[in-house]
């Protein structure tokens, strides 16, 4: 395990903001810039602007509104993290939407907070994800798994995971990182069609219908195979 990263006034957490409301962006910037160890390096009001400006600003943390006029923050999270794997994304939304939370987990977000959050709690959340920790606590993930799998959901790792082959575990772990079938194929040296076949069998074994549900289960599995070092 690497040590959590620490930030100081001389080396502050660089934060990028994405929200389509100027008042929200200004309020967040004022709140965060008042903290000695946090510096807002830039903001955007659309997904397009975020993807254009974000990477050049080299932020440590991106605070992303989920709903945007030209897309959504979850897609922006996935795109930014594909260019900056070390980036921590904190999803900001005005409603408690479980479907969006599932998608955020799948896109590799480090956390998910409601806009009603207190300023001090948001500051704490930014420090937490900047240090490399997740705000997606196990209780939330367990509750989501429970709701997806019905009342008989076990509190621990589902036994179905034990039935996955090493290759299926690798694919499940990559789904959990938000990779597309094509990206998974590149990572594991498989054709896109082979990946699709693996995923179909895997979803059937896991007893879930949708890829996003498998992403939640992915948080409970470590890759068993060689993660792209063996060509088959």
């Amino acid at each position: 395990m690497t040590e959590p990263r620490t930030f100081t006034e001389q080396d502050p957490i660089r934060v990028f903001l994405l929200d389509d409301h100027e008042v929200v962006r200004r309020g967040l910037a004022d709140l965060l810039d008042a903290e000695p160890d946090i510096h807002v390096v830039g903001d955007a009001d659309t997904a397009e602007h975020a993807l254009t400006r974000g990477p050049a600003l080299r932020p440590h943390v991106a605070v992303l509104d989920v709903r945007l006029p030209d897309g959504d923050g979850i897609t922006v999270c996935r795109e930014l993290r594909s260019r900056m794997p070390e980036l921590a994304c904190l999803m900001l939304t005005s409603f408690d939407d479980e479907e969006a939370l599932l998608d955020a987990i799948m896109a590799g977000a480090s956390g998910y907070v409601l806009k009603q959050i207190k300023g001090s709690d948001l500051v704490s959340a930014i420090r937490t994800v900047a240090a490399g920790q997740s705000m997606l606590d196990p209780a939330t993930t367990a509750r989501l798994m429970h709701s997806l799998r019905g009342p008989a959901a076990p509190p621990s790792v589902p036994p179905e995971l034990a039935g996955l082959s090493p290759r299926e575990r690798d694919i499940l772990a990559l789904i959990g990182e938000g990779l597309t079938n094509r990206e998974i194929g590149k990572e594991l040296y498989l054709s896109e069609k082979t990946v699709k076949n693996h995923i179909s069998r895997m979803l059937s074994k896991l007893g879930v219908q949708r890829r996003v549900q498998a992403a939640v289960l992915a948080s409970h599995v470590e890759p068993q195979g060689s993660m792209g070092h063996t060509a088959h």
Side-chain angles (χ1 to χ4, degrees):
M1 287 288 289
T2 53
E3 287 294 309
R5 177 153 184 195
T6 52
F7 295 90
T8 61
E9 200 165 344
Q10 289 71 37
D11 178 26
I13 301 168
R14 297 167 62 84
V15 177
F16 180 74
L17 304 173
L18 168 60
D19 196 290
D20 56 332
H21 297 103
E22 185 190 2
V23 172
V24 174
R25 293 198 308 278
R26 283 191 178 186
L28 288 171
D30 288 348
L31 170 76
L32 298 175
D33 276 334
E35 300 295 324
D37 60 337
I38 298 177
H39 174 50
V40 176
V41 292
D43 61 41
D45 58 353
T46 64
E48 184 185 5
H49 288 161
L51 294 173
T52 306
R53 301 191 60 203
L57 296 167
R58 295 176 295 105
H60 299 116
V61 178
V63 179
L64 308 171
D65 190 9
V66 170
R67 300 287 163 130
L68 297 163
D70 65 335
D72 64 86
I74 291 165
T75 303
V76 173
C77 169
R78 186 181 291 114
E79 289 287 324
L80 288 178
R81 290 190 77 257
S82 72
R83 299 180 207 178
M84 298 178 286
E86 299 301 311
L87 177 70
C89 293
L90 198 58
M91 310 311 299
L92 193 62
T93 186
S94 52
F95 47 86
D96 190 2
D97 180 351
E98 284 200 351
E99 187 70 22
L101 175 50
L102 287 169
D103 289 341
I105 293 170
M106 195 169 166
S110 300
Y112 186 95
V113 293
L114 296 178
K115 285 185 180 174
Q116 295 91 314
I117 192 172
K118 287 193 306 191
S120 57
D121 290 340
L122 178 61
V123 168
S124 297
I126 286 171
R127 290 189 179 123
T128 298
V129 298
Q133 296 168 281
S134 174
M135 289 286 297
L136 296 165
D137 64 290
T140 303
T141 310
R143 179 172 58 81
L144 282 165
M145 283 181 59
H146 189 85
S147 68
L148 286 172
R149 301 182 55 77
S156 57
V157 176
E160 290 89 342
L161 288 181
L164 296 185
S165 69
R167 176 61 81 205
E168 286 166 346
R169 286 186 174 224
D170 283 350
I171 290 173
L172 181 59
L174 293 171
I175 286 176
E177 290 173 25
L179 270 63
T180 64
N181 289 358
R182 180 169 296 178
E183 290 165 339
I184 291 170
K186 277 187 183 171
E187 184 78 20
L188 299 177
Y189 301 104
L190 299 170
S191 73
E192 199 172 343
K193 186 170 186 296
T194 303
V195 171
K196 278 183 186 170
N197 291 341
H198 275 302
I199 290 174
S200 295
R201 280 197 299 272
M202 186 177 66
L203 293 181
S204 173
K205 283 184 186 180
L206 293 173
V208 296
Q209 282 77 48
R210 296 189 0 256
R211 186 188 178 98
V212 73
Q213 294 171 307
V216 178
L217 295 174
S219 64
H220 293 266
V221 65
E222 287 296 323
Q224 299 295 300
S226 47
M227 292 302 288
H229 295 297
T230 357
H232 284 299

